[in-house]
Amino acid sequence: MGFIFPLAHGGEVLKEFAGSRYLLYKHPRTAIGLNSRSFYMVVVDGRQKGLSLGMYPKELARFMVLLGCTEAMNLDGGGSSTFWLEGNVRNSPCGGKERSLANGLAIVQRPSGNGRLAGTVN
């Protein structure tokens, strides 16, 4: 279960987030952010004792600003937080596997050179 809401605007962490009790706890979260040169896609694992507990929205907002984002949005999270890149799941989804979903966010680039994306971090 997740909610789409802004995390940061103008390089500043927003003071309040509209939502429900979901926002009061650490959960797996997914966010997208940008600045004048780059965009960032972040997936935070959670609900996995010994690996990751997740993040509060304010923690995620601070992290996005720390990365250099001037604008950032929280996307669907929880068990839906899965980062898929070049044919592989690159995080540890809280359900132990990739969840079947009816939607997602895809970034597509025409290959040049070796066909691999530049600037990715696992």
Side-chain angles (χ1 to χ4, degrees), residues 3 17-23:
F3 302 96
F17 305 107
S20 71
R21 291 179 45 135
Y22 172 77
L23 303 178

Side-chain angles (χ1 to χ4, degrees), residues 39 85-86 106-120:
F39 71 91
L85 177 68
E86 296 178 338
I107 306 297
V108 180
Q109 177 181 346
R110 290 185 187 164
S112 62
N114 66 7
R116 296 178 87 56
L117 294 175
T120 59

Side-chain angles (χ1 to χ4, degrees), residues 28-88:
R29 300 202 184 265
T30 304
I32 188 163
L34 59 90
N35 61 33
S36 62
R37 295 186 347 230
S38 303
F39 71 91
Y40 301 81
M41 297 173 63
V42 172
V43 174
V44 177
D45 290 331
R47 300 183 192 152
Q48 298 175 77
K49 204 172 195 174
L51 177 66
S52 177
L53 299 175
M55 282 185 164
Y56 295 109
K58 184 130 338 218
E59 288 176 307
L60 181 56
R62 287 183 189 126
F63 182 69
M64 298 301 285
V65 169
L66 182 67
L67 287 174
C69 297
T70 54
E71 308 298 322
M73 294 284 294
N74 183 83
L75 303 176
D76 193 19
S80 301
S81 289
T82 303
F83 192 81
W84 188 83
L85 177 68
E86 296 178 338
N88 297 297

